[in-house]
Amino acid sequence: MATLNLQREIPINSAYDVIVVGGGPSGCTAAAGAAREGARTLLVEQTGSLGGMGTSALVPAWCPFSDKEKIIYCGLAEKVFTASKAGMAHIDPKAMDWVAIDPEHLKRVYDDLVTEYGATVLFNTFMSGVEAQDGKVSAIILSNKAGLTAYTAKVFVDCTGDADLSAWAGAEFEQGDESSDLQPATHCFTISNINQEAYFSGENLHPGNKNSPIYQITNEGKYPLIPDTHACNTLIGPGTVGFNAGHIWNVDNTRPETVSKAMMHGRKIAKAFRDALAEYVPEVFGNSFLVQTGSLMGIRETRRIIGDYRLVLDDYLNLRSFEDEICRNSYFIDVHHSKSLAERSKQKDGHEEWEKTSYRLKPGESHGIPYRCLTPKALTNVLVAGRSISCDRSVQGSVRVMPVCLAMGEAAGTAAAMTTDIPACDVH
């Protein structure tokens, strides 16, 4: 690609000790954690709301917060989870696993979390460049309606989900599997005006139920836009069901053209689901209405940094603990399948085949995540939290989900604040 060398003067903002880029779950707790420790903290978010996958992407339910015996994602993670449940009348306050999300309520929860500790938020703001030399980031370039501005800080926390800040600063990373293939994305959506009583009394749509109507829908082929039997769904409000359903392959969140194409395709998939369910499950969805599709694509993986420690499957299976452990994790290895296995999943035993690759820990079991997974090898004043931490691909299929991202974010933000008094700002 040809390049254009432009020189221009842009203003510099040096008001912050810690800058967190990305306002998803890890970014929110990172900003709250840093501000709580007294650091002047800025949180940069490219959309108009915080929360990422649980809000803008419409993921309808929290992955489990427990190890099947007790809650293990505590601290700010538990605070967010408790506040999320408190706004939903049909949710048992004691529920810990696969709890529904009201995305509008959760947006306010994150707003309150970040602002109550004193962090500043910039919405509708993109990171457009990174200035780094000799392993240290000196500034990031932000763009919004005010134009281009350079922001300096002592420590930067990369919660972009794609390790953008780290990669642009020169950090090494891995992406996808050995051939760079990525897990499929999902464009989540919401359907309202369903028959709630029939929804609970009828067959569960999840493919784990061998009587799920999704098998008839995909096998008969009347709705070819529905790609496979992936059909997670949750009642998120009165007569309203949130869907994490269907897969879209060849989507790379670091390549905007692939995401743009997927967003348009995802909206068609959502409409096909509504129409298919209205035909095949009319007692529940006959009068239903497709309310909304996510304003963000549900992305499962892109870059993973090369950090000072690389968490691997052996660590997961052997329930390893670490001296520099920042949290525990018990979510199963949930690597979403290839397109060929998606075709197999249209048969009931195909879903079982996918389940066999999903390693699951026993009740009460968990493994640790060391702080060194958050520190890119090549950078001295950058931390990473969220799905881009240093790990192999199989473990990424576990640590990518929202509860553990909340826990990692708090650790990163707290550490960032603790290092702001160190002259070299070495977070390793």
Side-chain angles (χ1 to χ4, degrees):
M1 181 182 294
T3 60
L4 182 63
N5 186 18
L6 296 176
Q7 291 185 343
R8 65 179 68 183
E9 292 185 356
I10 60 175
I12 298 176
N13 186 317
S14 300
Y16 299 99
D17 302 312
V18 175
I19 295 179
V20 181
V21 182
S26 64
C28 289
T29 51
R36 181 184 59 190
E37 298 300 315
R40 297 171 300 166
T41 304
L42 174 66
L43 176 57
V44 179
E45 168 53 35
Q46 67 182 9
T47 72
S49 63
L50 300 175
M53 293 296 102
T55 55
S56 295
L58 298 182
V59 172
W62 295 100
C63 289
F65 266 74
S66 83
D67 60 6
K68 305 303 180 187
E69 290 183 353
K70 60 188 178 299
I71 190 167
I72 65 165
Y73 306 103
C74 301
L76 293 180
E78 184 177 7
K79 181 173 182 171
V80 169
F81 185 49
T82 300
S84 175
K85 290 188 290 184
M88 304 181 72
H90 70 293
I91 299 298
D92 182 348
K94 296 180 181 179
M96 289 191 291
D97 299 339
W98 303 113
V99 174
I101 295 172
D102 174 348
E104 285 302 317
H105 172 62
L106 186 56
K107 289 176 186 177
R108 298 189 297 273
V109 169
Y110 281 125
D111 287 343
D112 292 344
L113 175 79
V114 172
T115 57
E116 76 173 270
Y117 290 110
T120 300
V121 179
L122 275 182
F123 285 130
N124 300 315
T125 299
F126 284 79
M127 183 182 69
S128 300
V130 176
E131 295 295 315
Q133 188 172 5
D134 299 325
K136 183 176 180 180
V137 173
S138 57
I140 59 174
I141 311 302
L142 301 183
S143 56
N144 53 26
K145 283 291 186 177
L148 296 177
T149 306
Y151 281 75
T152 64
K154 297 176 181 177
V155 182
F156 297 86
V157 187
D158 184 345
C159 295
T160 61
D162 303 311
D164 289 336
L165 195 160
S166 303
W168 296 357
E172 293 182 79
F173 60 87
E174 301 174 301
Q175 188 161 344
D177 62 13
E178 296 81 0
S179 59
S180 298
D181 283 344
L182 300 169
Q183 294 182 61
T186 294
H187 199 180
C188 297
F189 55 93
T190 303
I191 294 179
S192 194
N193 201 40
I194 64 118
N195 183 324
Q196 194 165 309
E197 182 178 353
Y199 175 77
F200 283 112
S201 62
E203 290 288 353
N204 190 330
L205 284 170
H206 192 279
N209 170 25
K210 289 191 175 184
N211 295 319
S212 169
I214 193 64
Y215 289 111
Q216 186 180 1
I217 291 171
T218 55
N219 282 323
E220 291 189 358
K222 293 179 65 176
Y223 295 89
L225 284 174
I226 298 177
D228 58 5
T229 59
H230 178 234
C232 298
N233 59 101
T234 306
L235 188 82
I236 64 171
T240 304
V241 177
F243 280 83
N244 177 352
H247 287 123
I248 307 174
W249 288 269
N250 303 315
V251 183
D252 181 348
N253 210 43
T254 68
R255 294 176 56 207
E257 68 275 12
T258 69
V259 179
S260 300
K261 183 178 179 180
M263 295 291 285
M264 290 186 280
H265 185 58
R267 288 190 272 271
K268 292 181 173 65
I269 290 176
K271 178 62 162 57
F273 262 100
R274 199 243 52 114
D275 292 347
L277 291 170
E279 177 178 346
Y280 284 82
V281 197
E283 63 276 14
V284 179
F285 295 96
N287 295 315
S288 65
F289 174 66
L290 177 61
V291 176
Q292 187 179 17
T293 54
S295 57
L296 283 178
M297 180 61 62
I299 300 295
R300 295 184 171 91
E301 70 167 331
T302 53
R303 304 183 185 106
R304 307 185 305 277
I305 64 160
I306 303 297
D308 291 310
Y309 186 83
R310 186 173 184 265
L311 200 66
V312 297
L313 183 60
D314 186 63
D315 296 326
Y316 180 96
L317 296 176
N318 287 287
L319 313 177
R320 194 151 291 148
S321 297
F322 301 89
E323 290 185 357
D324 60 338
E325 190 168 291
I326 56 169
C327 64
R328 304 292 293 181
N329 175 55
S330 64
Y331 187 60
F332 70 98
I333 299 289
D334 185 13
V335 177
H336 282 235
H337 45 65
S338 64
K339 196 167 187 177
S340 60
L341 187 52
E343 287 297 317
R344 288 272 299 118
S345 77
K346 293 179 182 180
Q347 306 301 319
K348 298 175 178 61
D349 61 347
H351 182 76
E352 293 172 357
E353 185 178 337
W354 173 73
E355 286 282 353
K356 289 177 183 177
T357 67
S358 304
Y359 297 99
R360 296 174 185 269
L361 300 180
K362 296 176 183 177
E365 293 184 339
S366 64
H367 70 91
I369 297 178
Y371 174 73
R372 288 164 292 160
C373 289
L374 278 57
T375 54
K377 271 189 175 181
L379 304 177
T380 60
N381 66 334
V382 174
L383 290 164
V384 175
R387 66 176 184 244
S388 300
I389 68 164
S390 181
C391 60
D392 69 19
R393 191 181 190 233
S394 59
V395 172
Q396 195 272 348
S398 171
V399 301
R400 63 180 175 79
V401 298
M402 291 186 286
V404 65
C405 286
L406 287 167
M408 290 188 288
E410 181 178 4
T414 303
M418 292 171 64
T419 60
T420 56
D421 293 330
I422 301 173
C425 291
D426 191 338
V427 296
H428 290 245

